Amino acid sequence: MVVDELSAEEIDRVFHALADATRRDILAQVIRSEQSVSALAQHYPMSFAAVQKHVAVLERALLVTKKRRGREQIVHGDLAALRKATRLLGAYEEIWRYRTSQIEQILAED
């Protein structure tokens, strides 16, 4: 199960990163096509430094990677990490579905 594959710290970093709407939007943009941090910063009503911080949170969660191209930092999404997060949520859904089926059985017996 994917829950067993990830440490509690890794899970926390992923959920923390995805908890913010700006970070989710940045992730969606760089999954579509890699972009420089400066290009990303043009999409948001915040400073370049603030966008850099959002990218750093996504990078610590391993949802994006950066590479230097000349003077620019190019950001791209990591689909493998995103799939791992999807499997993690799927594992929690399985737990929830199992519990609800158990409740349904108990209610059917009564």
Side-chain angles (χ1 to χ4, degrees):
M1 179 182 280
V2 73
V3 176
D4 299 331
E5 295 174 25
L6 298 170
S7 72
E9 288 178 0
E10 290 170 314
I11 292 169
D12 288 346
R13 282 192 298 267
V14 168
F15 282 125
H16 172 74
L18 296 175
D20 182 84
T22 300
R23 288 193 288 269
R24 289 191 305 271
D25 190 63
I26 289 170
L27 181 60
Q29 286 191 53
V30 299
I31 286 173
R32 280 189 223 102
S33 65
E34 63 183 28
Q35 294 187 44
S36 69
V37 176
S38 56
L40 286 168
Q42 294 175 5
H43 297 284
Y44 304 101
M46 61 183 72
S47 69
F48 176 82
V51 173
Q52 276 185 311
K53 288 180 182 180
H54 281 297
V55 170
V57 171
L58 290 166
E59 193 173 23
R60 280 192 299 275
L62 305 177
L63 294 168
V64 303
T65 56
K66 287 190 307 191
K67 63 182 175 183
R68 185 163 289 285
R69 187 180 299 156
R71 293 177 44 198
E72 295 186 311
Q73 290 282 335
I74 306 299
V75 183
H76 53 93
D78 187 333
L79 290 178
L82 194 56
R83 285 186 186 112
K84 195 180 279 191
T86 300
R87 287 195 325 268
L88 174 63
L89 291 172
Y92 286 125
E93 181 181 358
E94 285 179 35
I95 293 167
W96 178 80
R97 288 187 183 280
Y98 175 76
R99 293 207 51 194
T100 57
S101 71
Q102 295 297 315
I103 292 169
E104 287 172 1
Q105 282 184 334
I106 291 168
L107 291 174
E109 291 172 1
D110 287 342

